[in-house]
Amino acid sequence: MWKGTITSPSSRTSSLANPGLLEAEAPAAESVLGVSRSVTGRRWVWRAADARTGLAIAQRLDVPELVGRLLAARGIGVEAAADFLEPRLRALMPDPSCLRDMDRAAERLAEAVRAGERVSVFADYDADGACAGALTVRVLRDLGVAASHYVPDRIKEGYGPNAPAIAALCEAGATLIVCVDCGIAAHQALEAARGRADVVVLDHHKAEGPPPPILAAVNPNRLDCNSGLRTLCAAAVCFMTAVALHRSLRKSGFFEGRAEPPLLDLLDLVATATVCDVMPLTGLNRALVSQGLRVMARRGRPGVAALLEVAGVKDAPTAHSLGFALGPRINASGRIGESDLALRLLLEEDPLEARAMAERLDSTNRRRQEVEAEVMGTAMGMAEQGMAAGHPVLMICGEGWHPGVVGIVAGRVKERFNRPALVAGVADGLAKGSGRSVPGLDLGAAIIAARQAGLLETGGGHAMAAGFSFRAERREAVHAFLNERLAAATALPDAAALVVEGTLSVAAANTVLAEQVGRLAPFGTGNEEPVFAIRHARVVRADRVGKEGGTIRLFLEGEGGGRLKAVCFRAKEGPLAELLLKARGTPLHLCGTLRAESWNGEVSTSLHVQDAAPA
C-alpha cells in the first residue's frame, strides 16, 4: 500500500489513498517550495495540469489518479490515453502510401528485388543514418538483393551525397541508389547519377523547395507532403518503406513458396534512431520505440547486443539506454572514427566480430570524450563572455576545433546559459560548426536566412538544431545577423526553468510511486520524465563513484523519517556537485526523477538528482 503525501500547486498536503494529486493552474508567480533561484540558477515552476481530465482518465482506464494527472499534464486527452499507455503499431501505424512518392519508391525497390539488381545505400554518418542504412540494407539482403552501403567521411566529404561518391557507386554497378537520412537538398550531387542509376531518397530533413528531379523522394517534411508524419526520423521512414515494399512484393506473388522476412524485428533500429535523433515520443513514434525496446530486450541482433554489453546495460534497455549508452557510441563512428563502422556493426551477424567492433566503437567514444573535453572548457569561458556582453546568440569559434564535437559542445552551452548557441571549428579560414536552440526560437530558419543573405557558405537545419559554415572574416557579420533575428533570447532567464510535477517527502518517494510513474515510459522529447521536488532531505552520505568520479552517490533521510538512494550524473564539477558533497546533515530541497530499478532480482527506488536548493 502506498503511503505518504504529495504536495501540488493547489492541494498542499493531499493524502494519497489515490497516489498523487497534481492539481492544475498554479499561480503563475509561485515557485515550487519558494525556489526562485536554485544552486544552478534555475527557478522551479509547476507544470500546469487539468485535474478534471486527469481524474476522468483515471476513472476511464481504472488507473491510479497520479497516472491520470501526469497524462493530463502532458496534454493527453481521455480518448487518447489508452493508446498512450499501451501504444500498439496496429492502432497507430498509418498506410505508408500517405507519404508522397512512397508508392513509386516501393515499386522501384520491388523491381530491383525481382530483377536482382545491384542496389547501393548512401547513408548519413549519425545514429539515425547508421540505423536507417543498416535497416535498408538488411531489408534488401533478406530479399536476396546484393545491397552495398556507403557512408561519407565527415571531414573529407561533409554531410550528404557528393557527386564523386555518387559517380563511384554508379561505376561500381549500382542501378539503384537509395539515400537515407540525407539527399532531399542534394540536387547538384545527385545529377551524377542521371542516365546511370535511379535514385530514391528516404529522408526527414526540412526541404526549402522542391525535391531533386529523381525517381522518388519520400520525406514527410517535403513541402508538398500531407502525411502529417513530420516528426518521424529517417529510420522510421525507411521502416515504412520496407512495409510498402513487402506489400508490393506480396501483391505480385513474390512470397509464394518462400517465407516473408519479419519486419518487426527491425524495430530495435527504429527505436534507437528515434531516440537518438531526439524525435518526440508521442503517437506513432511512441509505438515504434515501445515495440523496438521489446525487440532489443531479446538481444537478437549481434551488433546491438554487443553495444549493450560494452556500454554496461545489463537489464532490459530503456529509452535512456538508447540515448545515453548506445547513441554516443554509434555517433562516435561518424564524429571522429571510421564513418561506416557503426553501420557495419549493426549489420554484423558474427557475435565475436560484433564484440570486437563494439569495443572499437567504445574506444572511439572515449577518444571523442577527450576531444570534447579539450574544447568544452574554452568554449564555456567564451560563452560566459558572450553572456556578459548581452548577446542573444552565443557564437563561439576556435582554431582547429574538431567538427565532430562542436554540436555536442553547442548543446551543453545552450543548456548552461539558456541561449541559442553556435560552436564552430576554424581551419584554412573556414568556420564549420553546429548550433542548438531553445524552445520558441527557430534557429534553422535563422541559419537559412543568413545563407540566403550571402553570409554563409552552407547552412540549414530545423528549429532546434542547425549546421553551417562561413568564411572566418565574416564572423562578426554572421553573429550580428543572428543576434538581430533571434533578439527575443535576451528576455530569457540565464537558466531554463525546471518544471516540477509535485513535491514529495523522502518517505513518499517509494517503489510503488516510482512504478506508477514508470507506466508513462518511454520518456523523451514530447514526453519528458516527470520531475519531483523532494523536500527537506538530509544527506547522510555522499561520495563519488564511476571510472573518473563524475557521478555522485547519495543516501538521504527525511525529516519525518524514510530513506532514499540518489545519484547525480555529470557532476564532476560545478555548484550542484559542490553543494551535494558538502551538505551532510544540512536540509536540502532536491529535484529529480524517480526510478524503480532492478538489481539482482530486487527492485528499489532511486532519485536521479537534477538540481538542489537549501531548504
Side-chain angles (χ1 to χ4, degrees):
M1 177 68 178
W2 192 94
K3 295 181 179 180
T5 58
I6 189 169
T7 303
S8 58
S10 57
S11 179
R12 289 288 173 251
T13 54
S14 301
S15 173
L16 285 192
N18 291 320
L21 279 175
L22 303 179
E23 299 292 343
E25 308 306 329
E30 185 179 356
S31 299
V32 176
L33 296 176
V35 179
S36 58
R37 187 174 181 83
S38 70
V39 68
T40 64
R42 305 175 77 177
R43 182 173 179 240
W44 296 359
V45 300
W46 295 107
R47 181 190 290 276
D50 184 342
R52 291 182 179 179
T53 300
L55 182 59
I57 291 172
Q59 292 174 342
R60 170 80 69 87
L61 301 184
D62 192 24
V63 297
E65 189 174 342
L66 171 64
V67 176
R69 297 293 177 89
L70 292 174
L71 288 171
R74 281 150 182 74
I76 307 300
V78 177
E79 299 302 322
D83 281 339
F84 190 93
L85 287 179
E86 296 185 15
R88 296 168 298 156
L89 274 179
R90 181 171 296 179
L92 297 170
M93 179 81 169
D95 184 337
S97 296
C98 71
L99 287 158
R100 192 170 183 87
D101 271 6
M102 176 60 84
D103 291 340
R104 295 179 66 189
E107 185 50 42
R108 180 63 184 89
L109 285 163
E111 289 177 8
V113 170
R114 288 190 291 262
E117 296 180 49
R118 292 184 62 84
V119 181
S120 185
V121 176
F122 190 108
D124 187 22
Y125 39 61
D126 70 355
D128 190 14
C131 291
L135 185 154
T136 305
V137 170
R138 173 53 54 210
V139 167
L140 292 171
R141 288 181 179 174
D142 285 347
L143 294 171
V145 174
S148 62
H149 55 81
Y150 185 91
V151 181
D153 184 280
R154 179 189 291 263
I155 305 297
K156 297 176 182 177
E157 298 173 271
Y159 167 78
N162 60 84
I166 295 297
L169 295 178
C170 294
E171 291 167 5
T175 54
L176 175 60
I177 297 173
V178 183
C179 297
V180 299
D181 198 28
C182 59
I184 196 62
H187 296 67
Q188 186 174 354
L190 296 180
E191 281 292 319
R194 184 176 294 276
R196 308 172 72 182
D198 287 330
V199 177
V200 169
V201 164
L202 306 177
D203 201 355
H204 74 130
H205 292 94
K206 281 187 177 180
E208 298 175 46
I214 56 177
L215 184 108
V218 183
N219 183 340
N221 284 297
R222 275 181 62 161
L223 299 178
D224 57 353
C225 182
N226 299 315
S227 65
L229 300 174
R230 297 186 181 278
T231 62
L232 291 185
C233 68
V237 174
C238 293
F239 177 76
M240 293 188 70
T241 305
V243 172
L245 167 60
H246 274 225
R247 181 176 62 186
S248 178
L249 291 171
R250 199 180 306 119
K251 287 180 179 179
S252 69
F254 180 81
F255 293 118
E256 292 179 6
R258 70 175 79 189
E260 184 173 344
L263 292 180
L264 292 182
D265 288 351
L266 300 167
L267 288 177
D268 57 340
L269 299 175
V270 180
T272 302
T274 300
V275 172
C276 294
D277 225 39
V278 201
M279 298 292 105
L281 298 188
T282 57
L284 175 58
N285 281 343
R286 185 168 173 79
L288 292 170
V289 173
S290 296
Q291 298 294 331
L293 287 170
R294 293 190 182 98
V295 172
M296 187 177 291
R298 301 199 297 263
R299 306 200 179 209
R301 192 177 310 280
V304 172
L307 267 182
L308 290 170
E309 189 174 345
V310 300
V313 179
K314 298 179 180 179
D315 295 323
T318 64
H320 186 271
S321 309
L322 305 185
F324 292 91
L326 299 194
R329 289 167 173 81
I330 294 174
N331 277 321
S333 172
R335 293 188 187 280
I336 63 172
E338 306 165 61
S339 62
D340 69 341
L341 178 57
L343 195 158
R344 288 189 285 116
L345 169 62
L346 296 175
L347 288 171
E348 183 56 55
E349 297 181 356
D350 184 321
L352 293 178
E353 183 61 27
R355 174 67 191 218
M357 295 169 74
E359 289 176 349
R360 281 163 56 196
L361 264 187
D362 189 53
S363 176
T364 300
N365 186 53
R366 288 196 298 272
R367 193 163 73 252
R368 186 271 304 169
Q369 291 172 325
E370 294 169 357
V371 173
E372 176 190 321
E374 293 173 0
V375 175
M376 190 72 72
T378 303
M380 285 295 181
M382 296 170 70
E384 288 178 357
Q385 295 173 10
M387 286 292 291
H391 289 298
V393 175
L394 302 177
M395 176 170 281
I396 304 158
C397 300
E399 192 72 34
W401 285 356
H402 199 293
V405 302
V406 292
I408 299 173
V409 176
R412 298 284 174 82
V413 171
K414 181 265 296 186
E415 290 174 9
R416 170 86 174 271
F417 297 102
N418 198 35
R419 294 288 187 277
L422 293 90
V423 179
V426 181
D428 299 324
L430 184 69
K432 295 177 65 176
S434 294
R436 300 292 184 269
S437 192
V438 296
L441 294 175
D442 192 333
L443 178 61
I447 288 292
I448 290 171
R451 193 198 72 230
Q452 293 172 340
L455 294 171
L456 301 179
E457 300 294 306
T458 61
H462 52 77
M464 299 299 288
F468 59 87
S469 66
F470 58 84
R471 301 306 307 176
E473 61 270 17
R474 290 182 173 174
R475 174 182 173 178
E476 291 186 6
V478 172
H479 196 183
F481 182 93
L482 295 174
N483 273 338
E484 182 177 353
R485 292 279 303 203
L486 302 172
T490 55
L492 296 172
D494 293 351
L498 185 57
V499 179
V500 178
E501 309 279 355
T503 67
L504 298 167
S505 66
V506 170
N510 61 22
T511 301
V512 174
L513 178 63
E515 288 178 337
Q516 289 179 3
V517 171
R519 294 184 66 171
L520 274 71
F523 298 114
T525 302
N527 180 37
E528 288 75 17
E529 190 169 3
V531 172
F532 295 97
I534 309 296
R535 57 184 182 267
H536 298 290
R538 294 181 182 275
V539 178
V540 177
R541 175 182 162 192
D543 50 27
R544 290 192 174 276
V545 296
K547 292 181 180 179
E548 298 181 0
T551 298
I552 296 176
R553 179 178 56 186
L554 304 158
F555 295 90
L556 310 174
E557 285 185 350
E559 275 191 331
R563 290 175 176 268
L564 180 65
K565 295 184 298 181
V567 63
C568 184
F569 295 104
R570 283 168 57 181
K572 198 165 187 178
E573 56 186 19
L576 177 58
E578 184 177 347
L579 176 64
L580 295 177
L581 290 170
K582 293 182 178 180
R584 183 168 182 175
T586 303
L588 298 175
H589 298 320
L590 299 173
C591 256
T593 56
L594 280 178
R595 295 181 188 168
E597 298 171 331
S598 176
W599 181 257
N600 290 332
E602 294 186 4
V603 179
S604 62
T605 303
S606 66
L607 174 73
H608 289 233
V609 178
Q610 297 180 5
D611 204 356

